[in-house]
Amino acid sequence: MTKRVVLIGHPVAHSLSGAMQQAAFDQLGIDATYELWDRPPIELADSINEIRGDDFLGANVTIPHKERVVPMVDRLTEEGQATGAVNTITREGRRLVGHNTDVAGFKVALDKIVGKQKMPRNAVVLGAGGGARAVVYGLIREGFQRIIVFNRHLHRAEGLVKHFGRTAAHMELRAMPWHESIIEAELAKTKLLVNATSIGLTSDESPIPAEVLLPDLLVLDVIYAKTRLLRDAAAAGAETSDGELMLLHQGAAAFTLWTGQPAPLELMQQKLAEARAGGIRSAEGEPAGQPSGALAE
Ligand code: NDP
């Protein structure tokens, strides 16, 4: 029986994950298909129940469902529990297990941008959605001592901080209101800036003005594209990196969870690059029908 893996999001019209996962199944001779399910929030619970069937290996979950899906699975792994967000589901019989492989993907991206430098201890994170939860948890695990989270809707950032209450008890994790002057003041005290908002995904906009970006910053945008933020940061002399490695490695970890086999990383990276060069845009998080030069998951 051909096994199925589905990507559940809203909307999902094209998918970079599809390009790399299908190629990986094919290369390893695994009889499986990677399907895209565009399901609005109201259909999420039914969709999750559907993947309990024997023909499913599991699923990926993306914008905007990563947090909403948490109570719909039967068990959470340590990362799923800690972040309160799930991007990968596996099956144990009819029971579903919620994982968060974004955490592992973010770790690879963080190590790459830090390089041979000493791991910083302070970070500013823009955004408080499912992706930001993986980023914040990754930073806490890495030993960061001060993380400031800015979000358009402050209450969501406050919810994130509350969620990490115990995990972050030994350090300073704070939500702050999205005011340019406050962001500027915090950036002046910080080495690492991570954009985990979707600003820059569908339009050539930056979440923050170019003037607040300083040359000694490390700027990581989890969007898989040379976003305006990254271009502004590079112009200011900062070190920059996009979301490619996070996307690749969260996908590789998910592949191994579904198949029990090591992921063919080189092939997956090549497929991502081809999809980008061929102009395939990710629909994960992208409003239907809007053209975009950016790519996401
Ligand atoms: P969510 O929908 O859960 O969160 C979206 C975030 O973006 C929220 O913080 C939201 O703020 C903010 N935002 C969206 N639009 C605006 C706007 N116009 N102005 C200000 N803030 C805005 O999505 P995810 O957290 O799952 O994903 C966020 C981004 O991270 C996406 O671009 C996604 O592609 C990327 N990502 C990349 C990964 C990778 O592997 N490279 C992995 C995970 C995510 P508010 O709460 O105020 O609405």
Side-chain angles (χ1 to χ4, degrees):
M1 175 176 37
T2 301
K3 297 285 187 183
R4 302 166 73 188
V5 176
V6 292
L7 170 70
I8 307 175
H10 184 63
V12 278
H14 308 277
S15 170
L16 290 166
S17 294
M20 68 172 169
Q21 297 291 3
Q22 190 63 56
F25 290 145
D26 295 347
Q27 165 140 328
L28 272 70
I30 296 166
D31 183 16
T33 56
Y34 192 90
E35 301 166 30
L36 310 181
W37 282 5
D38 184 344
R39 303 286 158 93
I42 193 158
E43 290 174 22
L44 184 62
D46 285 345
S47 306
I48 297 299
N49 274 330
E50 220 177 312
I51 61 176
R52 293 177 192 277
D54 277 346
D55 46 336
F56 287 91
L57 291 178
N60 273 146
V61 180
T62 188
I63 293 178
H65 302 315
K66 284 181 184 174
E67 291 157 84
R68 204 175 278 117
V69 80
V70 167
M72 298 175 188
V73 297
D74 304 291
R75 183 168 77 76
L76 291 169
T77 58
E78 194 258 331
E79 281 88 0
Q81 180 85 48
T83 54
V86 161
N87 80 324
T88 301
I89 296 176
T90 54
R91 226 167 39 82
E92 289 173 343
R94 283 189 62 76
R95 286 167 54 82
L96 298 179
V97 184
H99 308 253
N100 193 316
T101 68
D102 284 340
V103 177
F106 174 69
K107 161 88 177 132
V108 179
L110 177 66
D111 285 347
K112 165 86 189 321
I113 194 167
V114 171
K116 293 202 173 80
Q117 303 177 51
K118 200 165 156 271
M119 184 59 76
R121 291 289 169 242
N122 294 354
V124 164
V125 176
L126 306 176
R133 281 175 176 240
V135 167
V136 168
Y137 184 55
L139 295 173
I140 296 172
R141 269 219 312 218
E142 201 57 49
F144 275 66
Q145 289 302 308
R146 188 164 192 271
I147 304 170
I148 308 300
V149 180
F150 290 96
N151 198 50
R152 172 179 56 178
H153 296 104
L154 179 61
H155 67 88
R156 196 169 182 195
E158 287 169 341
L160 179 152
V161 168
K162 199 165 162 217
H163 175 86
F164 284 110
R166 227 183 297 160
T167 318
H170 61 288
M171 45 84 66
E172 187 182 1
L173 173 63
R174 292 177 65 182
M176 287 196 184
W178 190 292
H179 288 308
E180 256 167 56
S181 58
I182 307 181
I183 296 177
E184 184 173 12
E186 284 304 324
L187 281 180
K189 300 184 233 168
T190 298
K191 180 77 189 162
L192 177 70
L193 167 65
V194 183
N195 176 40
T197 72
S198 40
I199 303 171
L201 180 64
T202 59
S203 61
D204 194 32
E205 274 177 273
S206 173
I208 51 177
E211 305 77 67
V212 303
L213 295 163
L214 303 170
D216 58 350
L217 272 177
L218 304 175
V219 182
L220 176 56
D221 196 329
V222 302
I223 295 173
Y224 175 27
K226 290 282 164 271
T227 55
R228 172 167 287 232
L229 170 67
L230 292 182
R231 286 184 273 119
D232 287 349
E239 192 85 35
T240 63
S241 198
D242 72 14
E244 183 197 6
L245 279 179
M246 182 170 174
L247 179 63
L248 174 67
H249 286 270
Q250 63 76 30
F255 179 89
T256 299
L257 287 169
W258 298 319
T259 65
Q261 306 212 33
L265 266 181
E266 252 176 55
L267 172 76
M268 290 169 86
Q269 190 157 27
Q270 181 195 327
K271 290 292 159 186
L272 278 183
E274 278 173 19
R276 167 142 83 170
I280 293 185
R281 336 176 237 117
S282 170
E284 289 96 307
E286 183 175 322
Q290 277 196 13
S292 156
L295 297 164
E297 290 161 75

